Amino acid sequence: MKILLFGVAKDIVGNQVLEEPSFKAKNVAELKQELIKKYPEFAKLSSLAIAVDEEYASDEKLISAENEIAIIPPVSGG
Amino acid sequence: MKILLFGVAKDIVGNQVLEEPSFKAKNVAELKQELIKKYPEFAKLSSLAIAVDEEYASDEKLISAENEIAIIPPVSGG
Amino acid sequence: MEKKIEIIENIDPSLIHKDLSHPASGGICVFIGAVRDTTQNQKVNSLFFEAYEAMALKEMEKIAEAASKQWNLNRLIMQHAVGDKKVEEPVVLVGASSAHRDDCFEACRFLIDTLKEKVPIWKKEFFDGKDEVWVTPHP
Amino acid sequence: MEKKIEIIENIDPSLIHKDLSHPASGGICVFIGAVRDTTQNQKVNSLFFEAYEAMALKEMEKIAEAASKQWNLNRLIMQHAVGDKKVEEPVVLVGASSAHRDDCFEACRFLIDTLKEKVPIWKKEFFDGKDEVWVTPHP
């Protein structure tokens, strides 16, 4: 699984993209759990959203290697 | 007494300035009465304000030939 | 607070950022009033604006003063045009800049609302094939 | 409704009137967000903005769509800058034009509030003699 990283998420992971063959998540909720287990710093953010194919995804949203997946830390535009 | 006219007040009087030696008004309320008596159209406006020395004046405000007096029909700027 | 208050022939909206930018301002809010092609279902060709200029500037100064007391503003602008104005031409421009956006939004709305209510400026409307009329709003 | 939605290197605020003017619009309301020299009592040297561009544009389109349903708008603009921005430089510009001013004021406020809440763009702050930090707002 390949995950795009932005903002503080890049600093937490130490890279612009996270490639994690060990992740087995079938949906967004499971992905968040795996992320926080591997990088506990994500639990400290005021929010942690996942985008699937360039849309905010609910916890139930199913994911696979075909999707474009991105971690969306708290946004701070404007 | 010389009175500055703007907007629809110019059309009502048919001039840019009203020079009316017969007006005896000592204050704004009396001036409004004399104006409406001579030009009944003023009574049909949704409001009729008088400015004395470039400030909105209350009915009690005393006036004399030394003041700059203007009729302020309903404003419609913007 | 720095302010720019003017009755002018032509408003130049391209100067907005230059006129309101300030190192302590994170937000700039601007309102531009322009000539609309229709009023009460009649096609408008142009407008003509007349000001009692000396008094209008005094009233605009009072409005700016009131805004600067009510909100935390760094810069403020109020401009009104006079003369003939065609459809789409700007006739009024008001705005303010402030550290946070609440202040500039609220001040900007106050500036245009109060200008329309108090400042001695009058608008004449020119229509297709009809007599022009002074606009005399009924509240 | 015509709309202009962009993620760009540099915002040019001098185009506001050209981008929002419309014959049926009597009012144009614009908000410009700029770099402020201070945040939480610390002197800011510059900001850096990063966008998840494809998704940011989709979210901005959704916000524009929502605004066009809620208010009567003729034109709308949403622009966000990316890259390094110095104090006073514009980083975001939103606005709308409408027949009457209520619509453009309310829409403009909605556009900036919703953009700040939803659009995937991140800001890094650079200070004097301190490490830079990604801004992670706590609601």
Side-chain angles (χ1 to χ4, degrees), chain C residues 9-121:
Chain C
E9 285 295 314
N10 292 298
I11 290 172
D12 182 354
S14 74
L15 302 178
I16 289 171
H17 185 254
K18 185 175 156 294
D19 280 341
L20 290 173
S21 181
H22 188 281
S25 288
I28 297 172
C29 185
V30 172
F31 176 81
I32 304 169
V35 181
R36 200 155 55 95
D37 62 5
T38 317
T39 188
Q40 290 161 339
N41 294 318
Q42 294 181 72
K43 191 170 160 11
V44 172
N45 283 332
S46 65
L47 301 179
F48 173 80
F49 287 90
E50 173 180 71
Y52 181 9
E53 185 167 329
M55 181 178 170
L57 290 170
K58 280 190 187 179
E59 289 295 319
M60 287 157 86
E61 290 283 350
K62 285 180 199 168
I63 296 167
E65 191 64 25
S68 77
K69 282 184 180 143
Q70 196 162 352
W71 295 284
N72 242 318
L73 307 176
N74 295 314
R75 296 184 76 177
L76 179 154
I77 188 166
M78 299 184 83
Q79 295 177 307
H80 203 294
V82 288
D84 289 306
K85 298 294 151 198
K86 303 283 178 217
V87 171
E88 294 197 46
E89 277 191 81
V91 300
V92 63
L93 187 156
V94 300
S97 81
S98 52
H100 303 287
R101 69 188 183 284
D102 276 350
D103 290 81
C104 63
F105 264 104
E106 290 172 21
C108 187
R109 185 68 205 243
F110 169 83
L111 293 176
I112 186 61
D113 288 355
T114 316
L115 179 149
K116 279 173 167 274
E117 188 190 324
K118 299 258 182 79
V119 177
I121 296 177

Side-chain angles (χ1 to χ4, degrees), chain D residues 86-100:
Chain D
K86 304 281 177 217
V87 172
E88 292 196 50
E89 276 192 83
V91 300
V92 62
L93 187 156
V94 300
S97 81
S98 53
H100 303 287

Side-chain angles (χ1 to χ4, degrees), chain D residues 47-65:
Chain D
L47 300 179
F48 173 81
F49 288 90
E50 174 180 69
Y52 180 10
E53 184 166 331
M55 180 177 171
L57 290 168
K58 280 191 187 179
E59 289 295 318
M60 286 156 87
E61 289 284 349
K62 285 180 200 170
I63 296 167
E65 192 63 24

Side-chain angles (χ1 to χ4, degrees), chain B residues 4-11 16 44-46 51 53-56 68-78, chain C residues 49-52 54-55 58-59 62 80 91-92 115-123 134-139:
Chain B
L4 304 177
L5 303 171
F6 296 96
V8 74
K10 289 192 299 191
D11 293 356
Q16 299 208 345
K44 297 183 186 165
L45 298 178
S46 62
D53 297 339
E54 300 164 359
E55 308 271 355
Y56 285 106
E68 180 175 312
I69 294 171
I71 299 178
I72 310 290
V75 300
S76 53
Chain C
F49 287 90
E50 173 180 71
Y52 181 9
M55 181 178 170
K58 280 190 187 179
E59 289 295 319
K62 285 180 199 168
H80 203 294
V91 300
V92 63
L115 179 149
K116 279 173 167 274
E117 188 190 324
K118 299 258 182 79
V119 177
I121 296 177
W122 298 270
K123 168 166 43 197
W134 285 106
V135 179
T136 53
H138 291 259

Side-chain angles (χ1 to χ4, degrees), chain A residues 6-44:
Chain A
F6 296 95
V8 73
K10 289 192 299 191
D11 293 354
I12 291 174
V13 172
N15 209 333
Q16 299 209 344
V17 177
L18 174 61
E19 303 225 40
E20 201 55 78
S22 70
F23 278 14
K24 307 282 180 225
K26 295 272 189 301
N27 64 29
V28 165
E30 290 172 14
L31 175 60
K32 285 184 186 172
Q33 285 165 11
E34 289 185 310
L35 275 172
I36 289 170
K37 195 168 170 194
K38 177 124 190 185
Y39 303 98
E41 287 287 311
F42 280 123
K44 297 183 188 166

